Short mmCIF file of all heavy atoms in Angstrom, two decimals:
data_model
loop_
_atom_site.label_atom_id
_atom_site.label_comp_id
_atom_site.label_asym_id
_atom_site.label_seq_id
_atom_site.Cartn_x
_atom_site.Cartn_y
_atom_site.Cartn_z
N ALA A 226 44.93 68.37 57.44
CA ALA A 226 46.30 68.53 57.94
C ALA A 226 47.31 67.82 57.03
O ALA A 226 48.50 68.13 57.06
CB ALA A 226 46.41 67.98 59.36
N GLN A 227 46.81 66.88 56.21
CA GLN A 227 47.70 66.15 55.31
C GLN A 227 47.74 66.75 53.91
O GLN A 227 48.47 66.28 53.05
CB GLN A 227 47.22 64.69 55.21
CG GLN A 227 47.06 63.98 56.54
CD GLN A 227 48.35 63.90 57.31
OE1 GLN A 227 49.41 63.63 56.74
NE2 GLN A 227 48.29 64.12 58.62
N LEU A 228 46.92 67.79 53.67
CA LEU A 228 46.81 68.38 52.33
C LEU A 228 47.48 69.74 52.25
O LEU A 228 47.60 70.44 53.26
CB LEU A 228 45.33 68.53 51.95
CG LEU A 228 44.45 67.27 51.95
CD1 LEU A 228 43.01 67.66 51.69
CD2 LEU A 228 44.94 66.27 50.91
N GLN A 229 47.88 70.09 51.06
CA GLN A 229 48.31 71.46 50.76
C GLN A 229 47.20 72.07 49.90
O GLN A 229 47.27 72.08 48.67
CB GLN A 229 49.65 71.46 50.04
CG GLN A 229 50.81 71.01 50.90
CD GLN A 229 52.14 71.05 50.17
OE1 GLN A 229 52.19 70.96 48.95
NE2 GLN A 229 53.21 71.22 50.94
N ARG A 230 46.16 72.55 50.57
CA ARG A 230 44.98 73.05 49.87
C ARG A 230 45.31 74.34 49.12
O ARG A 230 46.19 75.10 49.53
CB ARG A 230 43.83 73.27 50.85
CG ARG A 230 43.53 72.04 51.71
CD ARG A 230 42.34 72.29 52.62
NE ARG A 230 41.10 72.31 51.84
CZ ARG A 230 40.02 73.00 52.21
NH1 ARG A 230 40.08 73.79 53.27
NH2 ARG A 230 38.92 72.96 51.48
N ILE A 231 44.57 74.61 48.06
CA ILE A 231 44.83 75.80 47.26
C ILE A 231 43.54 76.59 47.09
O ILE A 231 42.43 76.05 47.18
CB ILE A 231 45.40 75.43 45.87
CG1 ILE A 231 44.44 74.50 45.13
CG2 ILE A 231 46.77 74.79 46.01
CD1 ILE A 231 44.92 74.12 43.73
N THR A 232 43.69 77.88 46.84
CA THR A 232 42.54 78.75 46.61
C THR A 232 42.07 78.59 45.17
O THR A 232 42.79 78.05 44.32
CB THR A 232 42.93 80.22 46.86
OG1 THR A 232 43.91 80.61 45.87
CG2 THR A 232 43.50 80.40 48.26
N PRO A 233 40.86 79.07 44.86
CA PRO A 233 40.39 79.01 43.47
C PRO A 233 41.35 79.70 42.50
O PRO A 233 41.61 79.19 41.39
CB PRO A 233 39.04 79.70 43.53
CG PRO A 233 38.56 79.47 44.92
CD PRO A 233 39.80 79.53 45.76
N ARG A 234 41.89 80.85 42.89
CA ARG A 234 42.81 81.57 42.01
C ARG A 234 44.09 80.77 41.78
O ARG A 234 44.62 80.73 40.66
CB ARG A 234 43.14 82.94 42.62
CG ARG A 234 44.16 83.75 41.85
CD ARG A 234 43.68 84.09 40.44
NE ARG A 234 42.49 84.95 40.46
CZ ARG A 234 41.91 85.39 39.36
NH1 ARG A 234 42.37 85.06 38.16
NH2 ARG A 234 40.82 86.16 39.45
N GLN A 235 44.60 80.13 42.82
CA GLN A 235 45.81 79.32 42.66
C GLN A 235 45.54 78.14 41.73
O GLN A 235 46.39 77.76 40.91
CB GLN A 235 46.28 78.81 44.03
CG GLN A 235 46.90 79.89 44.91
CD GLN A 235 47.19 79.38 46.31
OE1 GLN A 235 46.44 78.60 46.89
NE2 GLN A 235 48.31 79.84 46.88
N ALA A 236 44.34 77.56 41.86
CA ALA A 236 43.97 76.45 40.98
C ALA A 236 43.88 76.92 39.53
O ALA A 236 44.36 76.25 38.60
CB ALA A 236 42.65 75.84 41.43
N TRP A 237 43.29 78.09 39.32
CA TRP A 237 43.15 78.66 37.99
C TRP A 237 44.53 78.91 37.36
O TRP A 237 44.77 78.55 36.20
CB TRP A 237 42.34 79.95 38.08
CG TRP A 237 42.34 80.81 36.85
CD1 TRP A 237 43.02 81.97 36.65
CD2 TRP A 237 41.63 80.56 35.64
NE1 TRP A 237 42.79 82.48 35.40
CE2 TRP A 237 41.92 81.63 34.75
CE3 TRP A 237 40.77 79.55 35.21
CZ2 TRP A 237 41.39 81.72 33.47
CZ3 TRP A 237 40.24 79.63 33.93
CH2 TRP A 237 40.55 80.70 33.07
N ASP A 238 45.42 79.49 38.13
CA ASP A 238 46.76 79.76 37.62
C ASP A 238 47.51 78.46 37.31
O ASP A 238 48.23 78.36 36.31
CB ASP A 238 47.55 80.58 38.63
CG ASP A 238 46.99 81.99 38.80
OD1 ASP A 238 46.26 82.45 37.90
OD2 ASP A 238 47.27 82.62 39.85
#
Side-chain angles (χ1 to χ4, degrees):
Q227 306 299 319
L228 302 174
Q229 292 181 334
R230 307 183 72 208
I231 58 178
T232 65
R234 176 62 63 179
Q235 288 173 323
W237 168 255
D238 293 340

